[in-house]
Structure formats: C-alpha cells, structure tokens
Amino acid sequence: AASDVYKREVGDLDRDGHRDLVLTGFEISRADGGEAGAADEADTGVHILWGGPAGFDASRSTAIGIPHASATAIGDLDSDGQPDLAIAVYQGENVTRSESVILFGEGNRDWGGEKQTVRTEGAIHVAIAPATRTRPARAVFCNSLGGSLREQVPLLLYWGGPQGFSPE
C-alpha cells in the first residue's frame, strides 16, 4: 500500500514582493509487514513556482534535485536578511538515515551553492522557528524512523550558530 505526502510552503523566497510556492511531492510505500520506504517512481523532488504580478506560471519555476525530499520550510536561519530553505529528506539511497538540507538564500533566486546538512532518519516534516532576542533561528526536523525499545523515536536538537548547525 502507498501513502501520499504532498506538501507546500508559501513565502517570498526572492524578496520581490510576490509570494512563491515551494512544492514537495513524495510518496511513502509500505510493505505488507509495515516496513516503510520511499516509492522512487513517485519522488518528484522540490519545485519552486516563482510568484509574479499575474500569479504563478510553470515557465517561472526552479527544480531542486534532492531525492526523497518530503517537506520544506522557509525562514532566515543565518540572520542575513535573506530567506533560506530547509528541506526534510526522508531517506538515503539504501538506508533510512539521510542528510536533510538547508539552502542559504543570497537573493535573486540564488542559493550560492552553499548548503548545510543535518542528519535525519525518516524526516517527514520541517519547521523553522524565527530568531528571538535570546535565541538564534532554529530548524526543527521531524524524524519518523530510528526508534528504539518501545518504538520511541530519538529527539535530536541542533542549535544554529555563526558557523551553521553541528551535531556537537
């Protein structure tokens, strides 16, 4: 059996005054024994439809080739005033452990080639908590796999800093 997960995120990624739409198409396939994994044939990656005065148009879109991406969030994670994009990745190529991705926006629809990765396992969602006076912005990835006894899923919290996110 398969379970569809289609998610969208809306925000002004390029700071042009128009809302942009980030779409993530992903499908979880389950075996008869309950094991879950990505259904490769339905994995559509991440697509950004750039907004404009007349709305969205497929001719103004960007595809981001990150396999098994399951969700996205928009926010300023590095405090530079430019929106960044956090991408939850459900699994790696052969195992459920993977590297979810943070793309740091540099304006003008440019990610600058620099990305930060965060270890996740079965990540199905991501949210960004904005910076406050006492705490930096935080990306929160929701893992659905990697449990232990009594099926408890471990909680990992990565605090961002001037050098990005680190397991330490």
Side-chain angles (χ1 to χ4, degrees):
S3 170
D4 292 337
V5 179
Y6 295 99
K7 297 185 180 168
R8 66 192 176 288
E9 185 73 12
V10 178
D12 189 0
L13 275 169
D14 56 2
R15 298 183 50 125
D16 66 353
H18 301 286
R19 290 181 174 231
D20 305 309
L21 182 61
V22 183
L23 301 172
T24 309
F26 179 74
E27 185 176 356
I28 297 173
S29 181
R30 297 199 184 276
D32 291 336
E35 301 86 359
D40 287 332
E41 63 278 359
D43 190 355
T44 62
V46 177
H47 298 274
I48 301 172
L49 295 175
W50 301 103
F56 303 108
D57 184 335
S59 67
R60 291 188 323 269
S61 66
T62 299
I64 301 174
I66 296 180
H68 312 304
S70 58
T72 60
I74 299 169
D76 185 5
L77 289 166
D78 56 1
S79 300
D80 67 351
Q82 297 294 332
D84 304 313
L85 185 63
I87 303 171
V89 177
Y90 186 78
Q91 71 183 42
E93 188 173 326
N94 296 311
V95 295
T96 57
R97 181 168 286 141
S98 63
E99 299 289 326
S100 287
V101 177
I102 298 171
L103 299 175
F104 296 102
E106 294 188 353
N108 298 320
R109 302 179 184 175
D110 183 18
W111 305 109
E114 183 179 342
K115 68 179 181 179
Q116 177 87 35
T117 59
V118 176
R119 185 177 59 90
T120 56
E121 195 160 345
I124 57 170
H125 196 67
V126 60
I128 294 177
T132 66
R133 286 187 332 219
T134 59
R135 297 196 193 268
R138 284 110 36 222
V140 180
F141 293 88
C142 178
N143 289 332
S144 67
L145 301 172
S148 57
L149 294 176
R150 296 176 294 287
E151 297 183 17
Q152 297 170 335
V153 178
L155 174 67
L156 302 172
L157 181 61
Y158 295 92
W159 292 103
Q163 280 71 43
F165 296 89
S166 171
E168 288 80 38

